[in-house]
Amino acid sequence: MIIEGRPGRGGILAVGEALMEFRRSTPDGALATPGEWAGPFPSGAPAIFASVAARLGAPSALTAAVGDDRFGHALLARLEADGVGTGAVRVAPGRATALAFVAYDDEGGRDFWFSVPDSAATDLDASAVERAAAEAGWLHVSGSTVAFGGKLGDAVEASAERVAAAGGRISVDPNLRPDAHPDARARTARLARRAHVLFPSAGELEALGLEESELARTALVCRTAGAAGALVSGAGLDGEVRHVPAPAVTEVDPTGAGDTFAAAFVTRLRDGAEPLAAARFACATAARSVTVLGAMQARVEPGP
């Protein structure tokens, strides 16, 4: 079953997992022991990106799949309320909506568990993916989606081929897991090489065997550094690397901050902002996102 939604021709498309997340309330890093949990919160890197982009006023759509259950319908309701086009979101009969459990310790370390490989999230509708990619002018890719492999990885690469062939733009957040399979690393590296905008965090380009100086010849490279802000280099910056600081905030939940940053940067850049202005806006938006529990729960402000 396909839920009808705003197609957003020429808009921004995110492809991948939509899920419900449970967050450990106490900073003990304990994932598999009894304790207090908060949630469920709508989540999943592509869903977070699409939600933030839509709330910032960009025509945005998501290609994903959820279960025909209460979690799946709650995810759909939230995405639609945010203005995300859900015409390519499949409700998969007989499959459960993907879940995630995330626990942080008091030093910022994280442990997590995803049910994505065994869930509805992998049951995308191939024809809906193709239609959504044909209507998109910008594709955003999260490496977490590529890492899950299967239909999710295939859908990302197929969408990138379609958008690139039509002259659209591609942004990539490597979002590289330490235990990522070599095939996922290779796929992510291929996508990064064709990207117009990249959002790597520390060490990710090196782990993918990529050189920032080479990528920056044709792309904007925005290295995200959490509370330290971002380092921006590449097209339009005359070979310089510019630091953009982040506002000081009290961190409550960093989950999804990178996806929020990417969405804010892309929407502002797409509207014609200079890269450094887009990065300043993205830093401010991502900083607000970490001050509450839940990756999509912070208020989004379009700003000046």
Side-chain angles (χ1 to χ4, degrees):
M1 176 170 59
I2 301 296
I3 303 297
E4 295 300 322
R6 184 181 63 190
R9 181 175 295 277
I12 304 169
L13 176 66
V15 178
E17 66 278 10
L19 55 85
M20 280 295 193
E21 178 183 314
F22 292 85
R23 167 74 151 79
R24 186 79 166 186
S25 299
T26 50
D28 54 18
L31 187 68
T33 59
E36 296 181 3
W37 294 83
F41 298 116
S43 193
I48 297 165
F49 178 95
S51 165
V52 173
R55 285 184 281 153
L56 288 172
S60 305
L62 176 69
T63 295
V66 298
D68 189 9
D69 52 30
R70 281 177 286 182
F71 284 151
H73 291 290
L75 273 169
L76 276 171
R78 171 59 195 271
L79 291 167
E80 290 169 354
D82 288 348
V84 177
T86 56
V89 176
R90 180 170 190 255
V91 177
R95 303 288 292 273
T97 297
L99 301 177
F101 289 80
V102 183
Y104 288 89
D105 60 33
D106 56 9
E107 295 182 355
R110 182 175 70 165
D111 196 3
F112 50 83
W113 176 84
F114 294 100
S115 73
V116 171
D118 302 315
S119 74
T122 62
D123 200 11
L124 299 179
D125 182 297
S127 61
V129 172
E130 185 175 352
R131 289 195 301 272
E135 294 178 341
W138 191 299
L139 175 71
H140 180 71
V141 174
S142 172
S144 64
T145 308
V146 179
F148 288 125
K151 286 186 179 180
L152 286 171
D154 293 344
V156 168
E157 289 203 302
S159 297
E161 290 286 348
R162 187 66 181 262
V163 171
R169 293 183 173 272
I170 298 170
S171 53
V172 175
D173 177 356
N175 203 356
L176 195 65
R177 308 296 188 203
D179 58 350
H181 190 276
D183 179 64
R185 291 175 183 263
R187 279 187 167 195
T188 304
R190 286 197 300 270
L191 289 160
R193 289 189 184 97
R194 72 189 314 169
H196 299 84
V197 183
L198 281 161
F199 299 103
S201 57
E204 286 186 330
L205 292 182
E206 294 78 5
L208 292 171
L210 301 174
E211 293 286 342
E212 181 173 348
S213 58
E214 178 183 348
L215 295 168
R217 293 173 188 165
T218 56
L220 276 171
V221 181
C222 193
R223 282 187 179 261
T224 55
L231 295 170
V232 186
S233 64
L237 293 175
D238 300 321
E240 295 185 21
V241 178
R242 302 287 190 86
H243 175 244
V244 177
V249 296
T250 300
E251 181 180 287
V252 174
D253 184 359
T255 303
D259 310 306
T260 297
F261 181 99
F265 188 95
V266 166
T267 55
R268 192 49 62 96
L269 192 71
R270 185 175 173 273
D271 285 343
E274 294 296 323
L276 294 181
R280 285 191 290 272
F281 177 67
C283 280
T285 305
R288 284 194 298 274
S289 78
V290 308
T291 62
V292 299
L293 279 173
M296 291 162 57
Q297 300 309 108
R299 182 165 49 93
V300 170
E301 299 175 354

